[in-house]
Amino acid sequence: MVEYVFPPAPQASVAIERSAARFPVRRIFCVGRNYAEHAREMGHDPQAEPPFFFTKPADAVVDSGSTIAYPPATSDFHYEAELVVAIGAHGRNLSTDEANGLIWGYAAGNDLTRRDIQAAAKAARRPWDMSKGFDRSAIIGALRPGPIGDATIRCTLDGEVKQDARLSDMIWPVEAVISYLSALVELAPGDLIMTGTPAGVGPIARGQTCRIDIEGLAPAIVSVI
């Protein structure tokens, strides 16, 4: 029996629709600029580069319906509506056809971002870690096993629509994202992939509630105080 010098942290996990069981989270990978209009609104050419990735810690996960504190060290705190893909099998160097076999299910998610810290990091050519991987920065709705199809993805802030697109607007579809990522790391059960956000990202203020809806999935809702 392994003895630790202090109790290990609780296992991060995500709710599953219509189940008391939960999905254990191993790692969270995020795809940057996977919608053309979002790439343009951030000042980039959507055709100029292959997929690139950043990460969030597993314990950044927050269940839908939670209330979180406005994060420290920012005055420009943003929402980003995203489709989340849950990985349920091991895989390395996969083709796009093989990639489907790794998918356990899907969820709606919100990739919360400290945009001012990200902008400063970009300007200084430094890593984005503290703009993306801070505490309670990954709001994820309940996972649903099975296929998703070409669904709508929408973000509302206090009921006002801020982002509205379709999953087919992705530059790199889910299978292509999984295939590309599997050439960089071996994917494993418990990995989550946040697949990028459409145009329309913007700030959340204290007292506001942000809701991410993807057709066919449970919403990802968060309130900020």
Side-chain angles (χ1 to χ4, degrees):
M1 182 175 179
V2 176
E3 183 176 343
Y4 297 99
V5 296
F6 51 82
Q11 170 66 56
S13 64
V14 175
I16 299 170
E17 284 190 14
R18 295 182 292 277
S19 176
R22 293 181 65 90
F23 184 89
V25 178
R26 181 171 182 259
R27 298 176 293 188
I28 305 173
F29 298 99
C30 306
V31 185
R33 299 195 289 265
N34 197 16
Y35 288 77
E37 290 307 311
H38 173 60
R40 292 187 184 101
E41 77 177 347
M42 301 302 288
H44 300 277
D45 178 354
Q47 305 304 322
E49 54 192 359
F52 72 95
F53 301 88
F54 55 91
T55 62
K56 292 177 181 278
D59 64 3
V61 167
V62 178
D63 279 344
S64 177
S66 297
T67 297
I68 65 171
Y70 195 94
T74 185
S75 58
D76 197 17
F77 181 42
H78 279 211
Y79 56 80
E80 293 192 6
E82 311 219 358
L83 174 69
V84 181
V85 180
I87 299 298
H90 290 271
R92 181 188 290 277
N93 294 320
L94 302 170
S95 68
T96 53
D97 289 339
E98 293 169 329
N100 267 321
L102 264 66
I103 300 172
W104 189 92
Y106 299 92
N110 194 338
D111 168 19
L112 297 176
T113 303
R114 295 192 283 202
R115 191 70 72 198
D116 42 3
I117 293 180
Q118 184 186 41
K122 287 180 179 179
R125 298 183 179 273
R126 293 176 178 171
W128 294 3
D129 297 54
M130 290 300 99
S131 71
K132 292 287 194 176
F134 54 96
D135 298 336
R136 302 174 70 79
S137 61
I139 314 302
I140 300 180
L143 281 163
R144 192 200 73 191
I148 184 66
D150 179 21
T152 56
I153 178 170
R154 183 173 293 116
C155 171
T156 55
L157 187 65
D158 286 348
E160 181 181 352
V161 175
K162 296 294 188 178
Q163 295 178 279
D164 193 2
R166 301 196 68 86
L167 299 181
S168 58
D169 295 333
M170 288 185 190
I171 299 170
W172 308 288
V174 168
E175 296 83 359
V177 168
I178 293 172
S179 173
Y180 196 94
L181 182 57
S182 75
L184 300 173
V185 297
E186 181 178 2
L187 295 171
D191 288 341
L192 299 178
I193 304 173
M194 303 186 80
T195 57
T197 194
V201 299
I204 308 175
R206 290 179 176 87
Q208 291 189 303
T209 296
C210 187
R211 176 180 175 126
I212 311 302
D213 285 287
I214 298 177
E215 189 178 2
L217 299 177
I221 303 170
V222 66
S223 297
V224 179
I225 58 173

